[in-house]
């Protein structure tokens, strides 16, 4: 299973990652981050295909998808 | 924080000044991916103009100049001539690049100097409050065109082509992987390369021009209005109105590069 990390210190709650995910893995959280934003939360991680749309779109580089085999996708440039 | 951000961003400058959902951030994201893949992090220098877009290099922990409004390309020209082995990339807003800086832009293209110019086009002056720009669509409403823009916009890619650029691509924030690839090609290209990135500005262009400050809605507009360059030829001018032609628009190698020419000449004179 892929792992998805959202960094609440830098996320600005724009919800682009939620909108671009073809698998509807993410949804809006009901709680605000320490910065006051309604950050996304990972709702259906099983459905994540690791396509990286979310992390390539994030304007604040606050979401990271760590692929199953532990391979960080930093080289998926 | 994403590992690429961990590696390359200047932590003291974070969080970025961008508003939530600002497309400039996606351009920054794509650029980090391009740099990582090319392996040029240790051998680049970045120049930003003034505007929200001009801040982009400031967030990257490398040699950067946050220059003057419109003068980023002029400074980059000097930098490239002084240190020709560096990969020099300019980040310039649409106002910065083709309004106040329009002359530097066309002359850098004319010289075919080996710079990469990334123009972050939000169709407006974002930082100063949403004034009309030379890229603002005809009849669009802004803070300084409340009854609609009476001016015709520039197509910056066509301007670059006419002036002599040798690599040109345009992508929107809805195609971040292609945007990163275009930046790689542009940086590797020897000569003047231009990547127009069409981005959402929820705060200014969104609110006043497009009737929504939702980054998601604006992103979807960019996505829906994008037309691949390979398909654009089949469309009539009317059908292309309001569309954004995306893709690699030009790549050619038939013009001499300026920096090499300058060093070649000084070598010939024994300088
Ligand atoms: C010489 C000069 N003139 C005007 C300004 C005011 N000014 C700052 S940013 C800007 C326009 C920014 O628009 P753009 O380049 O499109 O960048 P954006 O903020 O939209 O990313 C202007 C007019 C300035 N800083 N310096
Ligand atoms: S990697 Fe793809 S499938 Fe997984 S959360 Fe991101 S956008 Fe959705
Ligand atoms: S795209 Fe980035 S900043 Fe926006 S909500 Fe998702 S993680 Fe947060
Ligand atoms: S004003 Fe517009 S361009 Fe400037 S940071 Fe905000 S959204 Fe981005
Ligand atoms: Mg602008």
């Amino acid at each position: 299973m892929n792992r998805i990390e959202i960094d609440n210190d830098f996320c600005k709650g724009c919800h682009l990652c939620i909108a671009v995910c073809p698998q509807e893995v993410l949804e809006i959280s009901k709680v605000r981050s320490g910065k006051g934003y309604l950050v996304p939360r990972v709702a259906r991680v099983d459905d994540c295909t690791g396509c990286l749309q979310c992390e390539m779109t994030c304007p604040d580089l606050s979401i990271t998808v760590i692929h199953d085999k532990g391979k960080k996708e930093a080289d998926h440039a | 924080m994403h590992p690429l951000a961990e590696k390359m961003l200047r932590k003291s400058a974070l969080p970025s000044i961008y508003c939530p959902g600002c497309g400039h951030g996606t351009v920054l994201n794509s650029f980090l991916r391009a740099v990582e893949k090319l392996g040029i992090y240790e051998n680049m220098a970045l120049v930003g103009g003034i505007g929200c877009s001009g801040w982009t290099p400031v967030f990257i922990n490398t040699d950067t100049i946050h220059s003057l409004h419109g003068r980023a390309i002029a400074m980059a020209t000097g930098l490239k001539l002084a240190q020709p082995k560096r990969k020099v990339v300019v980040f310039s807003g649409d106002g910065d690049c083709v309004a106040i800086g329009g002359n530097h832009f066309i002359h850098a293209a004319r010289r075919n100097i080996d710079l990469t110019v990334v123009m972050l086009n939000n169709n407006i002056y974002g930082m100063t409050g949403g004034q009309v720009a030379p890229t603002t669509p005809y009849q669009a409403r802004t803070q300084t065109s409340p009854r609609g823009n009476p001016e015709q916009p520039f197509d910056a890619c066509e301007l670059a082509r006419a002036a002599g650029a040798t690599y040109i691509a345009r992508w929107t924030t809805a195609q971040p992987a292609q945007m990163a690839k275009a930046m790689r090609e542009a940086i590797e290209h020897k000569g003047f390369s231009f990547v127009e990135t069409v981005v959402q500005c929820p705060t200014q262009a969104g609110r006043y021009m497009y009737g929504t400050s939702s980054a998601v809605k604006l992103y979807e507009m960019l996505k829906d209005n994008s037309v691949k360059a390979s398909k654009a030829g089949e469309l009539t001018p009317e059908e292309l109105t309001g569309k954004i032609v995306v893709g690699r628009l030009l790549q050619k190698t038939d013009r001499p590069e300026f920096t090499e020419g300058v060093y070649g000449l000084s070598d010939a004179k024994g300088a």
Side-chain angles (χ1 to χ4, degrees):
Chain A
M1 203 179 12
N2 296 329
R3 204 151 53 81
I4 302 166
E5 285 172 4
I6 294 155
D7 188 335
N8 285 355
D9 289 337
F10 292 97
C11 170
K12 292 178 186 159
C14 70
H15 304 155
L16 282 169
C17 53
I18 301 175
V20 302
C21 175
Q23 300 295 116
E24 299 185 13
V25 169
L26 308 162
E27 63 182 33
I28 302 177
S29 161
K30 290 186 181 63
V31 287
R32 286 181 189 271
S33 68
K35 305 252 177 201
Y37 294 117
L38 277 175
V39 295
R41 66 175 209 96
V42 183
R44 286 165 288 275
V45 71
D46 292 355
D47 294 343
C48 173
T49 58
C51 70
L52 301 184
Q53 278 299 325
C54 55
E55 63 156 74
M56 287 192 292
T57 306
C58 177
D60 289 276
L61 290 118
S62 307
I63 181 162
T64 310
V65 179
I66 299 126
H67 279 181
D68 206 2
K69 294 177 203 83
K71 185 177 164 290
K72 286 235 172 181
E73 278 308 293
D75 61 340
H76 189 290
Chain B
M1 200 184 288
H2 191 277
L4 284 177
E6 201 67 68
K7 174 176 169 184
M8 293 190 243
L9 292 189
R10 185 174 275 149
K11 309 298 175 301
S12 59
L14 298 180
S16 75
I17 55 127
Y18 307 143
C19 306
C22 173
H24 291 347
T26 306
V27 177
L28 172 67
N29 186 327
S30 295
F31 181 69
L32 297 189
R33 285 167 203 277
V35 169
E36 179 72 359
K37 195 121 185 189
L38 291 173
I40 58 161
Y41 182 52
E42 304 294 337
N43 184 36
M44 62 181 189
L46 310 178
V47 186
I50 297 298
C52 306
S53 43
W55 274 84
T56 310
V58 179
F59 306 129
I60 305 175
N61 197 13
T62 181
D63 290 337
T64 53
I65 304 175
H66 195 185
S67 67
L68 299 169
H69 193 35
R71 310 296 169 225
I73 293 175
M75 294 209 188
T77 299
L79 175 55
K80 182 70 186 179
L81 286 172
Q83 302 200 353
K85 292 207 166 59
R86 291 256 204 160
K87 298 289 188 188
V88 180
V89 183
V90 173
F91 291 84
S92 185
D94 48 324
D96 196 74
C97 193
V98 292
I100 190 170
N103 241 305
H104 298 297
F105 179 64
I106 57 173
H107 291 291
R110 174 178 61 82
R111 291 171 177 144
N112 195 31
I113 181 168
D114 188 15
L115 298 176
T116 296
V117 173
V118 176
M119 184 178 97
L120 300 94
N121 183 8
N122 51 15
N123 306 118
I124 207 160
Y125 287 5
M127 176 158 272
T128 43
Q131 295 85 357
V132 77
T135 47
T136 302
Y138 183 55
Q139 295 183 334
R141 295 213 300 179
T142 68
Q143 290 286 36
T144 49
S145 60
R147 294 188 195 91
N149 179 19
E151 301 180 22
Q152 300 285 330
F154 263 148
D155 177 330
C157 290
E158 289 310 313
L159 184 59
R161 186 198 300 268
T166 46
Y167 178 97
I168 303 171
R170 181 194 287 121
W171 292 102
T172 80
T173 47
Q175 302 97 15
Q178 291 93 325
M179 186 189 282
K181 179 162 182 263
M183 288 176 177
R184 287 195 330 254
E185 290 178 351
I187 293 166
E188 285 197 301
H189 176 82
K190 191 167 79 183
F192 186 84
S193 53
F194 180 60
V195 181
E196 178 180 345
T197 60
V198 185
V199 304
Q200 72 278 7
C201 161
T203 304
Q204 306 296 356
R207 271 197 299 179
Y208 302 118
M209 210 187 289
Y210 300 112
T212 175
S213 55
S214 157
V216 169
K217 284 199 185 125
L218 294 163
Y219 165 95
E220 276 160 5
M221 284 183 201
L222 291 176
K223 187 173 177 175
D224 294 345
N225 288 326
S226 295
V227 176
K228 291 261 172 62
S230 51
K231 291 272 184 310
E234 298 162 15
L235 301 181
T236 63
E238 290 73 45
E239 288 170 327
L240 277 173
T241 311
K243 299 288 183 217
I244 306 161
V245 178
V246 296
R248 186 171 64 207
L249 306 177
L250 179 73
Q251 185 169 32
K252 59 178 192 173
T253 52
D254 59 351
R255 299 185 72 231
E257 193 277 317
F258 178 65
T259 317
E260 278 189 355
V262 168
Y263 278 85
L265 287 177
S266 43
D267 284 353
K269 288 190 195 125

